[in-house]
Amino acid sequence: MSDPPPDPRARPPAPPRWRRGLFGRVFFTFFAAVLAFVTLASIVQFATAERHDAGWVEAADAVVEAHKPALLAALAGEGDLEAAAAALAGALELRVAIRSPDGAHLAGDPATPPLRPLRPRQRSRLERGAPVMLREKSGEPQLAFPIGDRAILIADTGDHASRRMRTLVLGVVGLVGLLGASAWLLARSLTRRLALLEDGAARIARGELGHRVQVDPRGDEIDRLGQEMNDMAYQLGELIRGQRSLLTNVSHELKTPIARLRVLAELLTERAESLPEHPASARIRKGAVELEQDLGELATLVQDLLTFGRLELSGPHASPVQRTPIDLAPFLGRLGAPFAAELAVTPPGLSLTGDPLLLDRLFTNLLSNARRACPQGHVWITASSAATDVTIAVEDEGPGIPPAERARVFEAFYRLDDARARDHGGAGLGLYLCAQIARAHGGTIAAEGRESGPGARLVVRLPLAGPPAPVL
């Protein structure tokens, strides 16, 4: 025995949320970005930080003590003071200047600021030959070393602060760039796939129920959302196919018995006419006529249902309109003759491209409504052309349509208050189908009032060539 075919909607179980889900991706991406940010910030801070403490002063003092003999000899005129200052600056990796006790520049970097004001305690240390570190609330520290009693060595970090600030700025820029790049990658990954879902939803909303969104069966929440959309489109397609099949089959099955009943009603009417005059005979004749009218309305309703199925339940790519060139003068004349409608077509050879069966249904409904509204009055049907479209109007001398109701009469099953009585007939589908047929041809329909008196004017505007046929 062969295995049953796989269900097209079946999919493997979803993986754990933390492992491959969108939640896990967002969480771990954010966590990794923050962790990298903290790590790099710590590295930048460590790389740019300098420890200006007592150990740093002692180390600098040891270097100065090692170079002090050369400095003293140079101060005594037995060497090059500039060379000795440069050698000391290189050993300290600081900016160095040698100044006299009164502040005069002797050697070293002339851009080195003068000695900052000393507190009594600092001045006492300097006089005893001990180094002094001068620190302000903002800025780099300054070191002062006595060189015998003839000079004072001043040292500071020079442009180290600006270099440190540049390093810090570059580090911050790098960190911001890292976070920005991480956010961009995550946002791009999400929005690209959401855009595919948006496009798929739009195509399904336009009626392309055969369209499917590409998804990874073992993907994350977005893939599962896409799969749910595919399932929804499948269910809608099956539902519409079932409705189309049911409506078509029921309508076709009803047409045959209705046709038989109409034949029997006609025979009954003929036999009733030959009955002798009697109150019962009059009731039989009246009932036969009403039965024939009811069967005609029932046949019209079935035809309307078939038209409704053709328009509303056509396939996603199939056009319900079968376009054929139509010469309007004979076409409208044939339709208006049963209703004694007066016809005017300008110019006489006016034609358009459309579906003869659907347009027959459209104008037959309009003419039938017009004649029902004024059984003894005039009914007109006029056609005229513009540059790209044709205007066809059906007018009558009936009570007309109130302005507040003119838009609603094209809704399905909507009937005017004075037309709800049973003897007026109609199920409220006629004008709705007229609007659907006009729309299927790329045109419009509107209800207006007559300019020259009471009555209704239904105006249909259709393109001369019709809209382009959809691709199958």
Side-chain angles (χ1 to χ4, degrees), residues 127-150:
E127 291 174 351
R128 294 197 307 269
V132 174
M133 181 172 66
L134 305 173
R135 184 191 295 273
E136 295 182 347
K137 292 182 179 180
S138 61
E140 296 297 311
Q142 186 183 63
L143 297 177
F145 302 89
I147 308 299
D149 56 357
R150 302 183 59 180

Side-chain angles (χ1 to χ4, degrees), residues 279-362:
S281 301
R283 288 195 298 272
I284 292 175
R285 283 191 290 269
K286 182 180 178 181
V289 172
E290 291 179 350
L291 176 61
E292 191 172 356
Q293 292 175 349
D294 289 344
L295 289 173
E297 292 175 5
L298 185 58
T300 300
L301 177 59
V302 171
Q303 184 61 43
D304 285 345
L305 289 176
L306 284 172
T307 305
F308 173 83
R310 179 178 173 184
L311 293 172
E312 294 290 330
L313 301 177
S314 59
H317 296 285
S319 171
V321 178
Q322 306 298 321
R323 296 176 181 84
T324 303
I326 301 174
D327 188 352
L328 287 179
F331 179 76
L332 296 177
R334 175 178 59 81
L335 298 179
F339 304 98
E342 301 177 21
L343 175 64
V345 178
T346 307
L350 182 61
S351 64
L352 58 77
T353 301
D355 190 310
L357 293 179
L358 291 179
L359 293 180
D360 184 310
R361 196 73 199 146
L362 189 159

Side-chain angles (χ1 to χ4, degrees), residues 119-203:
R119 298 188 185 95
R121 185 175 179 181
Q122 293 171 332
R123 185 178 299 277
S124 176
R125 280 181 56 85
L126 197 61
E127 291 174 351
R128 294 197 307 269
V132 174
M133 181 172 66
L134 305 173
R135 184 191 295 273
E136 295 182 347
K137 292 182 179 180
S138 61
E140 296 297 311
Q142 186 183 63
L143 297 177
F145 302 89
I147 308 299
D149 56 357
R150 302 183 59 180
I152 297 175
L153 173 68
I154 302 172
D156 62 16
T157 56
D159 60 350
H160 288 187
S162 60
R163 291 199 303 271
R164 179 176 157 187
M165 181 58 65
R166 286 195 300 271
T167 304
L168 183 61
V169 169
L170 291 176
V172 170
V173 170
L175 294 175
V176 172
L178 173 65
L179 287 178
S182 302
W184 185 88
L185 290 174
L186 179 61
R188 176 62 178 169
S189 172
L190 296 178
T191 56
R192 179 176 55 83
R193 299 162 67 206
L194 290 175
L196 294 177
L197 289 182
E198 181 183 9
D199 176 70
R203 295 180 64 176

